[in-house]
Amino acid sequence: ILISSLSTSTIITMTSHHWLLAWLGLELNTLSILPITMKLHHPRATEATMKYFLVQALAAAMILFAGTLNAWQTGLWTITNPGPTTAAIVTMAVLMKLGAAPTHLWYPDVLQGTTLNTALLVSTWQKLAPLALLYMMTNPPTNLLLLTGLLSALLGGWAGLNQTQTRKIMAHSSIAHMGWMLIALTMNPQLTTLTLMTYMIMTTAMFSTLNASTTKTISDMGTAWSMSPTTMTLALLTLTSLGGLPPLTGFMPKLLILNELTMKPLLPLATTLALASLPSLFFYIRMAYTTTLTTPPNTTNTEHKWRFKPPLAPTPTPMMTLALLLMPMTPIL
């Protein structure tokens, strides 16, 4: 029921031309994902749900305020042709909903507090409804989208360098990919659709692999090879495709976006964006290295991740040390 409600609310937002109807679809979308997020009844899941709710509610309030302001200024409730102030407010609210920089700090924490399947849902399906609002606006703030897109690509790569949790790594990957999509949206909406589709396919493949092997940290990935070598080989290809290495699919949208930027007088932006993808490529390659290039010496059918870890010696307590000192020495005959 919740999944059908989620898809229905997304379709309502994507097919609406009225600000109130779009806002209603976004609110239903948020209320549908909240029970799925807090299904674990764990304190971390509850914290992630609360963070997600507060951010989405603030963004929805900004969209409602922008729609009311647009109706007051123009007398129309249509989304397609807003005023400059309304377009700027809606764009900032959509950036907050997408988890793009500089309003991205909630996104890794929410993904870390949920299950892998829920993180997949937040990373893919939940991007459609907010992006539909940007698609429908005929005059989005181009400079704002270019700046936030470049900032997302930079921060998504830099912040992911120090992560060891796979869900947080995928969150920063999503932030970086959102940057590429926002920049593509200012030039060619069809190219944005292509980028979004390839991102969703690659992210779904990666989360499905992580979920099948119950891999939550990078150290877990080193022991996943013996369960299914074929799956881990495909995970290697998925990771390098997410990084944008040719001749894989992930290279195609990045090449087309850089081509569009160089055809316009935006060569410094294209150069910076290409360099911003290098930190992301580093942590993709680090995950790929632990996935397939550190092969365990034997195969096993067990599902436990701790089989290769040596047992830890017990730490001596002060009472144990005192007992050893007071123990009488046995004479050697």
Side-chain angles (χ1 to χ4, degrees):
I1 294 176
L2 290 173
I3 296 296
S4 62
S5 174
L6 198 64
S7 57
T8 304
S9 59
T10 304
I11 293 171
I12 288 174
T13 304
M14 293 175 69
T15 56
S16 63
H17 293 279
H18 195 281
W19 278 115
L20 282 181
L21 198 58
W23 171 80
L24 178 65
L26 290 172
E27 284 295 290
L28 289 174
N29 191 282
T30 301
L31 292 176
S32 301
I33 194 69
L34 290 179
I36 302 174
T37 310
M38 61 182 175
K39 188 179 68 172
L40 289 178
H41 297 292
H42 189 273
R44 189 172 292 170
T46 308
E47 179 188 352
T49 307
M50 187 58 65
K51 287 179 180 178
Y52 188 81
F53 169 72
L54 291 176
V55 170
Q56 300 295 315
L58 177 59
M62 290 175 64
I63 291 174
L64 186 61
F65 170 71
T68 310
L69 180 65
N70 186 64
W72 176 54
Q73 289 178 340
T74 63
L76 300 173
W77 284 93
T78 55
I79 301 175
T80 51
N81 195 16
T85 307
T86 304
I89 296 174
V90 170
T91 302
M92 287 306 298
V94 168
L95 292 177
M96 191 179 298
K97 278 186 167 292
L98 290 174
T103 56
H104 66 287
L105 294 176
W106 63 272
Y107 192 64
D109 290 335
V110 168
L111 257 63
Q112 180 62 27
T114 59
T115 62
L116 285 166
N117 287 328
T118 309
L120 167 63
L121 204 60
V122 174
S123 299
T124 53
W125 186 262
Q126 292 298 95
K127 307 288 186 186
L128 297 178
L131 276 174
L133 289 180
L134 291 181
Y135 271 98
M136 286 185 283
M137 289 194 299
T138 54
N139 53 347
T142 306
N143 292 332
L144 179 61
L145 287 176
L146 288 175
L147 179 63
T148 52
L150 180 61
L151 197 61
S152 298
L154 286 168
L155 290 179
W158 285 343
L161 289 175
N162 199 31
Q163 302 298 330
T164 57
Q165 301 285 330
T166 53
R167 281 169 291 186
K168 284 196 173 184
I169 290 176
M170 294 304 294
H172 290 98
S173 164
S174 176
I175 294 169
H177 278 88
M178 281 300 112
W180 286 86
M181 285 182 218
L182 293 174
I183 289 176
L185 190 62
T186 62
M187 301 176 294
N188 192 341
Q190 290 79 14
L191 181 55
T192 310
T193 307
L194 175 66
T195 310
L196 178 63
M197 292 304 296
T198 54
Y199 160 75
M200 289 180 67
I201 292 171
M202 292 184 296
T203 305
T204 303
M206 196 62 228
F207 269 112
S208 301
T209 305
L210 295 177
N211 190 42
S213 57
T214 61
T215 302
K216 296 180 180 177
T217 62
I218 290 184
S219 60
D220 290 343
M221 301 189 78
T223 58
W225 170 272
S226 54
M227 295 182 188
S228 177
T230 308
T231 306
M232 289 300 108
T233 305
L234 294 176
L236 167 67
L237 294 175
T238 307
L239 285 168
T240 48
S241 182
L242 277 169
L245 287 181
L248 299 169
T249 311
F251 176 66
M252 174 183 58
K254 292 188 176 182
L255 177 65
L256 293 175
I257 292 171
L258 292 177
N259 181 49
E260 289 281 341
L261 287 173
T262 50
M263 295 295 287
K264 294 177 171 57
L266 294 171
L267 192 58
L269 178 63
T271 307
T272 312
L273 194 62
L275 293 175
S277 64
L278 293 177
S280 300
L281 181 61
F282 174 79
F283 60 72
Y284 291 135
I285 295 299
R286 184 176 61 178
M287 289 178 70
Y289 173 75
T290 55
T291 302
T292 54
L293 301 179
T294 55
T295 308
N298 57 349
T299 58
T300 179
N301 294 323
T302 182
E303 295 181 356
H304 301 300
K305 298 291 184 183
W306 37 261
R307 60 185 181 273
F308 291 118
K309 294 180 180 178
L312 298 176
T315 305
T317 62
M319 292 300 295
M320 291 172 61
T321 308
L322 184 61
L324 289 173
L325 290 175
L326 296 177
M327 187 181 297
M329 299 296 292
T330 304
I332 302 175
L333 299 177

